[in-house]
Amino acid sequence: MSGSIDDSGQVLLVGSSGGHLAQLLALEPWYRERRRAWVTFDTPDARSLLDGEDVVWAHHPTTRNVRNLVRNAFLALKVIRRRRVDAVVTTGAGVALPFVVAARLRRIPTVYIEVYDRIDSATLTARLCRPFLSAMLVQWEEQRRMYPEATVVGNLL
């Protein structure tokens, strides 16, 4: 489903399908009353979970796929340019980087939430996005070893 574009701003929730999307969905009490759009992959679980939502389908797979990275970069620039986005919130993975960079180029706040199952090492996507972030959130105190500037928000799932 593609939503209409109007003058009121929205939060862009960006994440790969599966666990990344599940963690974004867990933010529902926060985004419930906000205008929002989603960016994820066109998979059966994402279609089901986001039924009735404003969704932009990103190109996948993203792992080691330079072609889809470039396609998602152009998609990110187009989406950020055409919509009034107030903030980008992401849990990763590969789809996050182009949207975080595109948002920061337009001085739009970007928030990364590190996934709950990476306690001992930083994810590649978080390391790549980090220079472009307005805020880094983690779900475990132990994750602050990799991200000392992060705010601990607790487990989302």
Side-chain angles (χ1 to χ4, degrees), residues 18-59:
H20 294 277
L21 178 58
Q23 290 179 68
L24 284 173
L25 287 164
L27 297 172
E28 195 265 341
W30 174 78
Y31 66 70
R32 179 183 311 134
E33 300 300 320
R34 288 178 167 82
R35 221 174 137 256
R36 63 194 173 271
W38 299 82
V39 177
T40 192
F41 303 138
D42 190 358
T43 60
D45 67 314
R47 279 203 173 268
S48 173
L49 292 166
L50 297 175
D51 186 44
E53 292 283 328
D54 180 3
V55 181
V56 175
W57 301 115
H59 305 282

mmCIF file of all heavy atoms in Angstrom, residues 18-59:
data_model
loop_
_atom_site.group_PDB
_atom_site.id
_atom_site.type_symbol
_atom_site.label_atom_id
_atom_site.label_comp_id
_atom_site.label_asym_id
_atom_site.label_seq_id
_atom_site.Cartn_x
_atom_site.Cartn_y
_atom_site.Cartn_z
ATOM 1 N N GLY A 18 11.570 -9.450 9.000
ATOM 2 C CA GLY A 18 11.975 -10.420 10.016
ATOM 3 C C GLY A 18 12.164 -9.750 11.366
ATOM 4 O O GLY A 18 11.371 -8.907 11.781
ATOM 5 N N GLY A 19 13.262 -10.087 12.048
ATOM 6 C CA GLY A 19 13.514 -9.589 13.393
ATOM 7 C C GLY A 19 13.676 -8.082 13.491
ATOM 8 O O GLY A 19 13.258 -7.470 14.471
ATOM 9 N N HIS A 20 14.285 -7.477 12.483
ATOM 10 C CA HIS A 20 14.446 -6.016 12.498
ATOM 11 C C HIS A 20 13.079 -5.333 12.467
ATOM 12 O O HIS A 20 12.832 -4.379 13.206
ATOM 13 C CB HIS A 20 15.296 -5.557 11.313
ATOM 14 C CG HIS A 20 16.706 -6.032 11.387
ATOM 15 N ND1 HIS A 20 17.667 -5.390 12.122
ATOM 16 C CD2 HIS A 20 17.321 -7.100 10.818
ATOM 17 C CE1 HIS A 20 18.816 -6.037 12.015
ATOM 18 N NE2 HIS A 20 18.621 -7.076 11.232
ATOM 19 N N LEU A 21 12.206 -5.832 11.622
ATOM 20 C CA LEU A 21 10.850 -5.287 11.530
ATOM 21 C C LEU A 21 10.087 -5.541 12.826
ATOM 22 O O LEU A 21 9.384 -4.660 13.327
ATOM 23 C CB LEU A 21 10.113 -5.894 10.336
ATOM 24 C CG LEU A 21 8.669 -5.444 10.140
ATOM 25 C CD1 LEU A 21 8.572 -3.929 9.969
ATOM 26 C CD2 LEU A 21 8.060 -6.165 8.934
ATOM 27 N N ALA A 22 10.243 -6.728 13.395
ATOM 28 C CA ALA A 22 9.554 -7.048 14.652
ATOM 29 C C ALA A 22 9.941 -6.070 15.760
ATOM 30 O O ALA A 22 9.088 -5.648 16.551
ATOM 31 C CB ALA A 22 9.874 -8.484 15.079
ATOM 32 N N GLN A 23 11.198 -5.679 15.811
ATOM 33 C CA GLN A 23 11.634 -4.741 16.839
ATOM 34 C C GLN A 23 11.071 -3.344 16.591
ATOM 35 O O GLN A 23 10.738 -2.624 17.534
ATOM 36 C CB GLN A 23 13.153 -4.742 16.939
ATOM 37 C CG GLN A 23 13.627 -6.064 17.548
ATOM 38 C CD GLN A 23 15.119 -6.177 17.662
ATOM 39 O OE1 GLN A 23 15.716 -5.458 18.454
ATOM 40 N NE2 GLN A 23 15.708 -7.054 16.876
ATOM 41 N N LEU A 24 10.940 -2.949 15.339
ATOM 42 C CA LEU A 24 10.293 -1.663 15.040
ATOM 43 C C LEU A 24 8.806 -1.708 15.414
ATOM 44 O O LEU A 24 8.273 -0.745 15.960
ATOM 45 C CB LEU A 24 10.443 -1.310 13.561
ATOM 46 C CG LEU A 24 11.810 -0.803 13.119
ATOM 47 C CD1 LEU A 24 11.851 -0.659 11.610
ATOM 48 C CD2 LEU A 24 12.154 0.519 13.798
ATOM 49 N N LEU A 25 8.156 -2.812 15.124
ATOM 50 C CA LEU A 25 6.741 -2.954 15.462
ATOM 51 C C LEU A 25 6.513 -2.865 16.972
ATOM 52 O O LEU A 25 5.462 -2.418 17.428
ATOM 53 C CB LEU A 25 6.185 -4.267 14.906
ATOM 54 C CG LEU A 25 5.983 -4.294 13.394
ATOM 55 C CD1 LEU A 25 5.822 -5.719 12.897
ATOM 56 C CD2 LEU A 25 4.786 -3.439 13.005
ATOM 57 N N ALA A 26 7.510 -3.280 17.752
ATOM 58 C CA ALA A 26 7.400 -3.219 19.208
ATOM 59 C C ALA A 26 7.348 -1.778 19.720
ATOM 60 O O ALA A 26 6.962 -1.543 20.869
ATOM 61 C CB ALA A 26 8.569 -3.970 19.849
ATOM 62 N N LEU A 27 7.689 -0.819 18.878
ATOM 63 C CA LEU A 27 7.615 0.602 19.250
ATOM 64 C C LEU A 27 6.201 1.160 19.105
ATOM 65 O O LEU A 27 5.993 2.356 19.268
ATOM 66 C CB LEU A 27 8.570 1.422 18.377
ATOM 67 C CG LEU A 27 10.048 1.112 18.487
ATOM 68 C CD1 LEU A 27 10.826 1.874 17.416
ATOM 69 C CD2 LEU A 27 10.566 1.435 19.874
ATOM 70 N N GLU A 28 5.240 0.321 18.809
ATOM 71 C CA GLU A 28 3.872 0.747 18.510
ATOM 72 C C GLU A 28 3.290 1.744 19.519
ATOM 73 O O GLU A 28 2.666 2.717 19.103
ATOM 74 C CB GLU A 28 2.966 -0.484 18.350
ATOM 75 C CG GLU A 28 1.647 -0.163 17.696
ATOM 76 C CD GLU A 28 0.538 0.107 18.687
ATOM 77 O OE1 GLU A 28 0.680 -0.289 19.867
ATOM 78 O OE2 GLU A 28 -0.463 0.716 18.282
ATOM 79 N N PRO A 29 3.480 1.582 20.820
ATOM 80 C CA PRO A 29 2.937 2.597 21.736
ATOM 81 C C PRO A 29 3.500 4.001 21.451
ATOM 82 O O PRO A 29 2.816 4.990 21.646
ATOM 83 C CB PRO A 29 3.365 2.108 23.125
ATOM 84 C CG PRO A 29 3.533 0.630 22.951
ATOM 85 C CD PRO A 29 4.054 0.448 21.546
ATOM 86 N N TRP A 30 4.730 4.068 20.970
ATOM 87 C CA TRP A 30 5.355 5.351 20.653
ATOM 88 C C TRP A 30 4.843 5.938 19.336
ATOM 89 O O TRP A 30 4.581 7.128 19.236
ATOM 90 C CB TRP A 30 6.882 5.196 20.606
ATOM 91 C CG TRP A 30 7.574 6.437 20.152
ATOM 92 C CD1 TRP A 30 7.816 7.557 20.906
ATOM 93 C CD2 TRP A 30 8.081 6.701 18.856
ATOM 94 N NE1 TRP A 30 8.452 8.504 20.139
ATOM 95 C CE2 TRP A 30 8.628 8.004 18.876
ATOM 96 C CE3 TRP A 30 8.144 5.972 17.670
ATOM 97 C CZ2 TRP A 30 9.225 8.584 17.758
ATOM 98 C CZ3 TRP A 30 8.732 6.551 16.559
ATOM 99 C CH2 TRP A 30 9.259 7.840 16.605
ATOM 100 N N TYR A 31 4.697 5.098 18.309
ATOM 101 C CA TYR A 31 4.320 5.648 17.000
ATOM 102 C C TYR A 31 2.815 5.616 16.727
ATOM 103 O O TYR A 31 2.357 6.158 15.730
ATOM 104 C CB TYR A 31 5.080 4.961 15.864
ATOM 105 C CG TYR A 31 4.772 3.495 15.638
ATOM 106 C CD1 TYR A 31 3.545 3.076 15.125
ATOM 107 C CD2 TYR A 31 5.726 2.525 15.901
ATOM 108 C CE1 TYR A 31 3.271 1.747 14.907
ATOM 109 C CE2 TYR A 31 5.463 1.185 15.674
ATOM 110 C CZ TYR A 31 4.234 0.805 15.179
ATOM 111 O OH TYR A 31 3.974 -0.518 14.957
ATOM 112 N N ARG A 32 2.040 5.025 17.594
ATOM 113 C CA ARG A 32 0.597 4.825 17.376
ATOM 114 C C ARG A 32 -0.105 6.092 16.896
ATOM 115 O O ARG A 32 -0.896 6.047 15.964
ATOM 116 C CB ARG A 32 -0.046 4.305 18.650
ATOM 117 C CG ARG A 32 -1.539 4.071 18.554
ATOM 118 C CD ARG A 32 -2.148 3.615 19.874
ATOM 119 N NE ARG A 32 -1.390 2.524 20.455
ATOM 120 C CZ ARG A 32 -1.033 2.457 21.748
ATOM 121 N NH1 ARG A 32 -1.369 3.426 22.585
ATOM 122 N NH2 ARG A 32 -0.360 1.434 22.202
ATOM 123 N N GLU A 33 0.150 7.216 17.521
ATOM 124 C CA GLU A 33 -0.541 8.461 17.187
ATOM 125 C C GLU A 33 0.237 9.327 16.198
ATOM 126 O O GLU A 33 -0.182 10.438 15.897
ATOM 127 C CB GLU A 33 -0.823 9.263 18.466
ATOM 128 C CG GLU A 33 -1.696 8.512 19.466
ATOM 129 C CD GLU A 33 -3.058 8.131 18.907
ATOM 130 O OE1 GLU A 33 -3.652 8.947 18.178
ATOM 131 O OE2 GLU A 33 -3.526 7.004 19.202
ATOM 132 N N ARG A 34 1.349 8.833 15.724
ATOM 133 C CA ARG A 34 2.168 9.607 14.795
ATOM 134 C C ARG A 34 1.891 9.187 13.352
ATOM 135 O O ARG A 34 1.613 8.031 13.073
ATOM 136 C CB ARG A 34 3.649 9.393 15.086
ATOM 137 C CG ARG A 34 4.111 10.050 16.355
ATOM 138 C CD ARG A 34 5.593 9.766 16.611
ATOM 139 N NE ARG A 34 6.124 10.626 17.643
ATOM 140 C CZ ARG A 34 6.001 10.401 18.941
ATOM 141 N NH1 ARG A 34 5.350 9.359 19.377
ATOM 142 N NH2 ARG A 34 6.517 11.245 19.815
ATOM 143 N N ARG A 35 2.016 10.134 12.451
ATOM 144 C CA ARG A 35 1.979 9.816 11.030
ATOM 145 C C ARG A 35 3.270 9.090 10.705
ATOM 146 O O ARG A 35 4.347 9.501 11.140
ATOM 147 C CB ARG A 35 1.884 11.116 10.218
ATOM 148 C CG ARG A 35 0.929 10.945 9.080
ATOM 149 C CD ARG A 35 0.679 12.227 8.339
ATOM 150 N NE ARG A 35 0.728 11.821 6.955
ATOM 151 C CZ ARG A 35 1.733 12.043 6.153
ATOM 152 N NH1 ARG A 35 2.761 12.724 6.543
ATOM 153 N NH2 ARG A 35 1.701 11.590 4.934
ATOM 154 N N ARG A 36 3.183 8.009 9.991
ATOM 155 C CA ARG A 36 4.368 7.182 9.768
ATOM 156 C C ARG A 36 4.310 6.496 8.409
ATOM 157 O O ARG A 36 3.243 6.324 7.825
ATOM 158 C CB ARG A 36 4.498 6.133 10.857
ATOM 159 C CG ARG A 36 3.327 5.160 10.849
ATOM 160 C CD ARG A 36 3.253 4.331 12.102
ATOM 161 N NE ARG A 36 2.038 3.537 12.137
ATOM 162 C CZ ARG A 36 0.879 3.954 12.641
ATOM 163 N NH1 ARG A 36 0.774 5.164 13.147
ATOM 164 N NH2 ARG A 36 -0.174 3.172 12.632
ATOM 165 N N ALA A 37 5.481 6.100 7.962
ATOM 166 C CA ALA A 37 5.617 5.253 6.781
ATOM 167 C C ALA A 37 6.716 4.254 7.106
ATOM 168 O O ALA A 37 7.588 4.513 7.938
ATOM 169 C CB ALA A 37 5.972 6.077 5.552
ATOM 170 N N TRP A 38 6.651 3.136 6.451
ATOM 171 C CA TRP A 38 7.596 2.046 6.685
ATOM 172 C C TRP A 38 8.422 1.817 5.432
ATOM 173 O O TRP A 38 7.922 1.951 4.320
ATOM 174 C CB TRP A 38 6.842 0.754 7.004
ATOM 175 C CG TRP A 38 5.990 0.848 8.227
ATOM 176 C CD1 TRP A 38 4.740 1.387 8.311
ATOM 177 C CD2 TRP A 38 6.330 0.403 9.528
ATOM 178 N NE1 TRP A 38 4.279 1.294 9.594
ATOM 179 C CE2 TRP A 38 5.226 0.698 10.370
ATOM 180 C CE3 TRP A 38 7.443 -0.221 10.073
ATOM 181 C CZ2 TRP A 38 5.225 0.379 11.717
ATOM 182 C CZ3 TRP A 38 7.433 -0.536 11.418
ATOM 183 C CH2 TRP A 38 6.338 -0.232 12.232
ATOM 184 N N VAL A 39 9.670 1.405 5.633
ATOM 185 C CA VAL A 39 10.517 0.950 4.535
ATOM 186 C C VAL A 39 11.038 -0.415 4.946
ATOM 187 O O VAL A 39 11.700 -0.553 5.977
ATOM 188 C CB VAL A 39 11.698 1.900 4.264
ATOM 189 C CG1 VAL A 39 12.586 1.336 3.157
ATOM 190 C CG2 VAL A 39 11.204 3.298 3.913
ATOM 191 N N THR A 40 10.707 -1.414 4.145
ATOM 192 C CA THR A 40 11.159 -2.770 4.436
ATOM 193 C C THR A 40 11.120 -3.570 3.141
ATOM 194 O O THR A 40 10.896 -3.025 2.066
ATOM 195 C CB THR A 40 10.306 -3.426 5.548
ATOM 196 O OG1 THR A 40 10.950 -4.637 5.992
ATOM 197 C CG2 THR A 40 8.894 -3.706 5.100
ATOM 198 N N PHE A 41 11.335 -4.874 3.248
ATOM 199 C CA PHE A 41 11.343 -5.744 2.075
ATOM 200 C C PHE A 41 9.970 -6.359 1.844
ATOM 201 O O PHE A 41 9.239 -6.643 2.798
ATOM 202 C CB PHE A 41 12.382 -6.861 2.240
ATOM 203 C CG PHE A 41 13.776 -6.348 2.486
ATOM 204 C CD1 PHE A 41 14.585 -6.953 3.419
ATOM 205 C CD2 PHE A 41 14.279 -5.259 1.790
ATOM 206 C CE1 PHE A 41 15.875 -6.487 3.658
ATOM 207 C CE2 PHE A 41 15.558 -4.781 2.011
ATOM 208 C CZ PHE A 41 16.354 -5.409 2.953
ATOM 209 N N ASP A 42 9.661 -6.583 0.594
ATOM 210 C CA ASP A 42 8.377 -7.164 0.202
ATOM 211 C C ASP A 42 8.427 -8.676 0.415
ATOM 212 O O ASP A 42 8.745 -9.436 -0.485
ATOM 213 C CB ASP A 42 8.074 -6.819 -1.259
ATOM 214 C CG ASP A 42 6.665 -7.186 -1.664
ATOM 215 O OD1 ASP A 42 5.921 -7.745 -0.829
ATOM 216 O OD2 ASP A 42 6.307 -6.925 -2.818
ATOM 217 N N THR A 43 8.143 -9.074 1.650
ATOM 218 C CA THR A 43 8.129 -10.487 2.018
ATOM 219 C C THR A 43 6.751 -10.807 2.595
ATOM 220 O O THR A 43 6.030 -9.904 3.026
ATOM 221 C CB THR A 43 9.206 -10.797 3.080
ATOM 222 O OG1 THR A 43 8.956 -10.015 4.243
ATOM 223 C CG2 THR A 43 10.612 -10.510 2.539
ATOM 224 N N PRO A 44 6.370 -12.084 2.618
ATOM 225 C CA PRO A 44 5.044 -12.435 3.148
ATOM 226 C C PRO A 44 4.816 -11.943 4.587
ATOM 227 O O PRO A 44 3.733 -11.437 4.900
ATOM 228 C CB PRO A 44 5.010 -13.963 3.068
ATOM 229 C CG PRO A 44 5.945 -14.297 1.944
ATOM 230 C CD PRO A 44 7.045 -13.259 2.040
ATOM 231 N N ASP A 45 5.831 -12.061 5.449
ATOM 232 C CA ASP A 45 5.635 -11.614 6.833
ATOM 233 C C ASP A 45 5.455 -10.098 6.901
ATOM 234 O O ASP A 45 4.588 -9.599 7.627
ATOM 235 C CB ASP A 45 6.780 -12.075 7.748
ATOM 236 C CG ASP A 45 8.116 -11.428 7.448
ATOM 237 O OD1 ASP A 45 8.490 -11.354 6.269
ATOM 238 O OD2 ASP A 45 8.800 -11.009 8.400
ATOM 239 N N ALA A 46 6.235 -9.348 6.135
ATOM 240 C CA ALA A 46 6.104 -7.891 6.147
ATOM 241 C C ALA A 46 4.747 -7.467 5.593
ATOM 242 O O ALA A 46 4.093 -6.578 6.143
ATOM 243 C CB ALA A 46 7.235 -7.251 5.342
ATOM 244 N N ARG A 47 4.290 -8.106 4.516
ATOM 245 C CA ARG A 47 2.972 -7.769 3.951
ATOM 246 C C ARG A 47 1.875 -7.992 4.983
ATOM 247 O O ARG A 47 0.977 -7.178 5.137
ATOM 248 C CB ARG A 47 2.695 -8.593 2.705
ATOM 249 C CG ARG A 47 3.368 -8.030 1.491
ATOM 250 C CD ARG A 47 2.659 -8.480 0.211
ATOM 251 N NE ARG A 47 3.255 -7.776 -0.889
ATOM 252 C CZ ARG A 47 2.815 -6.612 -1.365
ATOM 253 N NH1 ARG A 47 1.773 -6.033 -0.822
ATOM 254 N NH2 ARG A 47 3.411 -6.026 -2.364
ATOM 255 N N SER A 48 1.972 -9.087 5.704
ATOM 256 C CA SER A 48 0.962 -9.410 6.709
ATOM 257 C C SER A 48 1.016 -8.439 7.892
ATOM 258 O O SER A 48 0.000 -7.896 8.316
ATOM 259 C CB SER A 48 1.172 -10.846 7.193
ATOM 260 O OG SER A 48 0.329 -11.135 8.271
ATOM 261 N N LEU A 49 2.214 -8.213 8.417
ATOM 262 C CA LEU A 49 2.373 -7.372 9.599
ATOM 263 C C LEU A 49 2.058 -5.898 9.331
ATOM 264 O O LEU A 49 1.629 -5.182 10.232
ATOM 265 C CB LEU A 49 3.799 -7.491 10.138
ATOM 266 C CG LEU A 49 4.156 -8.850 10.743
ATOM 267 C CD1 LEU A 49 5.657 -8.969 10.935
ATOM 268 C CD2 LEU A 49 3.411 -9.055 12.056
ATOM 269 N N LEU A 50 2.272 -5.453 8.102
ATOM 270 C CA LEU A 50 2.084 -4.038 7.775
ATOM 271 C C LEU A 50 0.839 -3.784 6.942
ATOM 272 O O LEU A 50 0.706 -2.722 6.336
ATOM 273 C CB LEU A 50 3.328 -3.504 7.068
ATOM 274 C CG LEU A 50 4.605 -3.530 7.908
ATOM 275 C CD1 LEU A 50 5.806 -3.101 7.081
ATOM 276 C CD2 LEU A 50 4.460 -2.667 9.155
ATOM 277 N N ASP A 51 -0.067 -4.741 6.930
ATOM 278 C CA ASP A 51 -1.316 -4.574 6.190
ATOM 279 C C ASP A 51 -2.029 -3.303 6.656
ATOM 280 O O ASP A 51 -2.217 -3.083 7.848
ATOM 281 C CB ASP A 51 -2.211 -5.799 6.402
ATOM 282 C CG ASP A 51 -3.455 -5.737 5.550
ATOM 283 O OD1 ASP A 51 -3.355 -5.391 4.368
ATOM 284 O OD2 ASP A 51 -4.551 -6.027 6.096
ATOM 285 N N GLY A 52 -2.383 -2.446 5.712
ATOM 286 C CA GLY A 52 -3.067 -1.209 6.035
ATOM 287 C C GLY A 52 -2.143 -0.043 6.350
ATOM 288 O O GLY A 52 -2.607 1.073 6.548
ATOM 289 N N GLU A 53 -0.848 -0.280 6.423
ATOM 290 C CA GLU A 53 0.132 0.770 6.698
ATOM 291 C C GLU A 53 0.668 1.342 5.383
ATOM 292 O O GLU A 53 0.568 0.719 4.329
ATOM 293 C CB GLU A 53 1.297 0.209 7.525
ATOM 294 C CG GLU A 53 0.926 -0.196 8.929
ATOM 295 C CD GLU A 53 0.773 0.984 9.869
ATOM 296 O OE1 GLU A 53 1.478 2.001 9.701
ATOM 297 O OE2 GLU A 53 -0.060 0.893 10.793
ATOM 298 N N ASP A 54 1.270 2.504 5.456
ATOM 299 C CA ASP A 54 1.942 3.147 4.334
ATOM 300 C C ASP A 54 3.341 2.530 4.236
ATOM 301 O O ASP A 54 4.169 2.738 5.118
ATOM 302 C CB ASP A 54 2.011 4.650 4.611
ATOM 303 C CG ASP A 54 2.690 5.442 3.512
ATOM 304 O OD1 ASP A 54 3.078 4.872 2.484
ATOM 305 O OD2 ASP A 54 2.827 6.664 3.701
ATOM 306 N N VAL A 55 3.578 1.757 3.182
ATOM 307 C CA VAL A 55 4.837 1.017 3.067
ATOM 308 C C VAL A 55 5.531 1.326 1.750
ATOM 309 O O VAL A 55 4.904 1.362 0.690
ATOM 310 C CB VAL A 55 4.601 -0.515 3.157
ATOM 311 C CG1 VAL A 55 5.929 -1.274 3.062
ATOM 312 C CG2 VAL A 55 3.858 -0.883 4.426
ATOM 313 N N VAL A 56 6.831 1.523 1.845
ATOM 314 C CA VAL A 56 7.699 1.627 0.674
ATOM 315 C C VAL A 56 8.506 0.340 0.647
ATOM 316 O O VAL A 56 9.196 0.013 1.613
ATOM 317 C CB VAL A 56 8.642 2.843 0.790
ATOM 318 C CG1 VAL A 56 9.630 2.867 -0.369
ATOM 319 C CG2 VAL A 56 7.838 4.132 0.875
ATOM 320 N N TRP A 57 8.399 -0.394 -0.438
ATOM 321 C CA TRP A 57 9.122 -1.669 -0.544
ATOM 322 C C TRP A 57 10.528 -1.418 -1.082
ATOM 323 O O TRP A 57 10.700 -0.873 -2.156
ATOM 324 C CB TRP A 57 8.372 -2.643 -1.441
ATOM 325 C CG TRP A 57 6.989 -2.940 -0.951
ATOM 326 C CD1 TRP A 57 5.829 -2.626 -1.572
ATOM 327 C CD2 TRP A 57 6.621 -3.595 0.263
ATOM 328 N NE1 TRP A 57 4.748 -3.034 -0.818
ATOM 329 C CE2 TRP A 57 5.208 -3.636 0.315
ATOM 330 C CE3 TRP A 57 7.339 -4.146 1.325
ATOM 331 C CZ2 TRP A 57 4.509 -4.218 1.375
ATOM 332 C CZ3 TRP A 57 6.637 -4.717 2.382
ATOM 333 C CH2 TRP A 57 5.252 -4.754 2.394
ATOM 334 N N ALA A 58 11.521 -1.817 -0.295
ATOM 335 C CA ALA A 58 12.924 -1.659 -0.670
ATOM 336 C C ALA A 58 13.397 -2.885 -1.446
ATOM 337 O O ALA A 58 12.740 -3.928 -1.461
ATOM 338 C CB ALA A 58 13.778 -1.460 0.576
ATOM 339 N N HIS A 59 14.543 -2.736 -2.069
ATOM 340 C CA HIS A 59 15.125 -3.817 -2.881
ATOM 341 C C HIS A 59 15.950 -4.752 -2.000
ATOM 342 O O HIS A 59 16.719 -4.299 -1.156
ATOM 343 C CB HIS A 59 15.996 -3.215 -3.980
ATOM 344 C CG HIS A 59 15.255 -2.226 -4.830
ATOM 345 N ND1 HIS A 59 14.388 -2.613 -5.816
ATOM 346 C CD2 HIS A 59 15.215 -0.868 -4.798
ATOM 347 C CE1 HIS A 59 13.859 -1.531 -6.376
ATOM 348 N NE2 HIS A 59 14.336 -0.461 -5.766
#
